[in-house]
Amino acid sequence: MDRPPTMPRLTSKQPKEISTPLVLLMTCWALIAMPSWGDTLTWGVVNYPPFDITHGPYAGEGVNDRVRAFLQERMSGYEHAEVVAPLPRVLQEIHQGKPWCTVSFFDNPQRREIGLMSRPVMFHLPHSILVRRDKAEQLSLSGDPISLASLLNEKVFTTSTLRQAAYGENIDKVLAGAPSLYAYGDPAQGIQMLLAGRIDFLVEKRLPGFYMAMEEGKLEELVALPFAESGPIGIGRILCPHSKWGEEVIGLIDTILAKNVSSQAYRSIIEAWQQSEGLDIIREQYDQIMLK
């Protein structure tokens, strides 16, 4: 991936023939013209392939990775840094007003308390219930879409959730009313627990679920099934802090997106890594979601 652009540095040298008042006037003009930014715009990156791919042969080629690179190329007034961190830390930094942003999060009241949200940058297909192929029959997951609430209420099948994750309004309501569930901090950990047989099923997006299973060499062992509460397509946005700095960054990001989301270059970013079924859905609904 190309190196992120850096903010041009001003030189302190001035030609001797320029008068002191003129120098002061030029300095004041420069200070007025410069936006108020933090020294660095830090992008919080949560290891969540193939959205954020932080290691391996495809590092930096995830969907979120490409969105960040696309924006960084057009945000030349900011220096950019990327920090790989667990989701709770990324949210904490933003909630505390640090000059951090992250891609991409659902718009809900909990996220709005943490920070400001951009216009849509991408969208996610509905969640699935992921199970091991040898467990699917035991869970009676064939036929009509199953109910997550029923699985949780039966207390026979075990699952786990990503700490501080938002799965969408319908799923979040079900999980809020469920018995206490073990929460893990790294998305890959949930898939590893599922494939190792430590839990029976997992609520997860199909795309990252299969990618992480592929990394484990166990792609054929995983099955993705629809369920009643999975809800509509999820719209992902950029999250930045509640601050003057955050308002300026979100404003610039929204301006860049408004000019570019209709382009083929941006569409190709959102389509990356999709299988044929997901690709058809994205192409059918892209304009309705991204251009409104």
Side-chain angles (χ1 to χ4, degrees), residues 163-238:
R163 190 176 298 118
Q164 295 189 26
Y167 293 87
E169 183 178 359
N170 295 338
I171 301 173
D172 289 342
K173 286 181 180 179
V174 173
L175 292 175
S180 179
L181 300 172
Y182 171 77
Y184 52 92
D186 184 337
Q189 185 181 358
I191 298 296
Q192 290 165 354
M193 289 192 297
L194 177 63
L195 294 173
R198 293 169 54 194
I199 56 176
D200 296 318
F201 71 92
L202 192 68
V203 176
E204 182 54 273
K205 302 182 188 75
R206 180 188 182 101
L207 193 58
F210 281 122
Y211 182 95
M212 288 182 272
M214 178 186 70
E215 281 195 316
E216 297 286 324
K218 298 181 178 180
L219 180 59
E220 298 302 321
E221 297 181 21
L222 203 60
V223 177
L225 297 154
F227 61 104
E229 301 91 346
S230 61
I233 284 176
I235 299 174
R237 304 171 188 265
I238 290 175

Side-chain angles (χ1 to χ4, degrees), residues 71-92:
L71 292 172
Q72 288 171 14
E73 290 174 0
R74 292 158 178 79
M75 299 174 72
S76 58
Y78 294 83
E79 292 189 5
H80 300 270
E82 297 184 357
V83 175
V84 179
L87 175 62
R89 185 200 166 187
V90 172
L91 296 178
Q92 181 184 44

